[in-house]
Amino acid sequence: MKRLHVALLGGLLLAGCSSHDQAADTGASTPAPSAPAVADQPLDLCRLMPVADVAAILQANGADTVTEQKSGAGGMCSYLHQPQPGDYRTKLLIDFTRMASADQAGQALAAHREDFTGRGIGVTPVPGLGDEAFLAETEGAAGLKLRVGPYQGQINLRVEDRDPATLRPAVLALGKQVVERLH
């Protein structure tokens, strides 16, 4: 089986976005609390965005469907539709990280935007979606990067040989749903 992250992301996934709670990373070695607070836990994006909800959003926005989901490191969630063995038609990744502050999340998002533009990849601002958001399309994938308070993350979608521009409505609808659920 192909490695999902290589095939799915097509250059959109950048290092540093791992659904990890960076607010808990202080650098000091302190003993772990016996019962960590909910805010100290990484997001469980597969729980936040169940496969049935994601499939309904994709179908309502003309972007095929997904039939399975897989948790990844730090809580990221991959969604897939495999109509034939070994051939994934739809690949979706939702990955968010809770940073130490909203300012730090904004700085991380700005760094991602600069990286894209530095590589010649056009970005399109998406006002009204979270605190900051932009779309980037490359190598057959549509990607949305956004920030919601201290959360910074991405939604990347690829559907077989579809033009990334045709996936925008689905990616934006997923982004709206994630923003609503993070609040």
Side-chain angles (χ1 to χ4, degrees):
M1 180 167 113
K2 300 177 188 172
R3 290 198 46 94
L4 171 66
H5 293 93
V6 173
L8 170 64
L9 302 177
L12 287 176
L13 178 60
L14 297 173
C17 194
S18 66
S19 301
H20 177 71
D21 184 350
Q22 291 189 2
D25 290 344
T26 61
S29 74
T30 56
S34 58
V38 174
D40 292 338
Q41 298 295 319
L43 282 174
D44 182 349
L45 289 160
C46 288
R47 182 176 285 187
L48 183 72
M49 297 293 293
V51 70
D53 293 358
V54 170
I57 291 169
L58 291 175
Q59 290 168 351
N61 289 280
D64 203 32
T65 191
V66 289
T67 53
E68 56 186 286
Q69 71 183 153
K70 297 179 181 183
S71 294
M76 77 173 70
C77 195
S78 299
Y79 302 82
L80 309 163
H81 177 59
Q82 185 178 16
Q84 299 173 11
D87 178 30
Y88 289 105
R89 175 167 168 75
T90 303
K91 301 170 194 142
L92 169 69
L93 174 75
I94 301 177
D95 186 19
F96 279 78
T97 300
R98 182 175 178 267
M99 308 298 274
S101 67
D103 185 52
Q104 186 182 29
Q107 291 172 10
L109 188 65
H112 291 305
R113 184 181 295 110
E114 287 178 26
D115 182 61
F116 281 115
T117 58
R119 291 187 288 147
I121 298 169
V123 298
T124 305
V126 182
L129 188 59
D131 299 313
E132 300 172 68
F134 67 88
L135 280 166
E137 297 163 353
T138 183
E139 298 181 33
L144 174 68
K145 288 283 216 181
L146 63 139
R147 180 179 72 82
V148 180
Y151 294 99
Q152 186 265 144
Q154 62 189 340
I155 299 168
N156 295 323
L157 177 62
R158 176 186 302 269
V159 179
E160 207 166 64
D161 295 325
R162 294 266 307 266
D163 178 358
T166 67
L167 303 175
R168 281 184 210 146
V171 170
L172 293 172
L174 287 166
K176 181 179 178 187
Q177 188 69 52
V178 169
V179 168
E180 289 173 5
R181 293 181 181 187
L182 284 176
H183 278 117

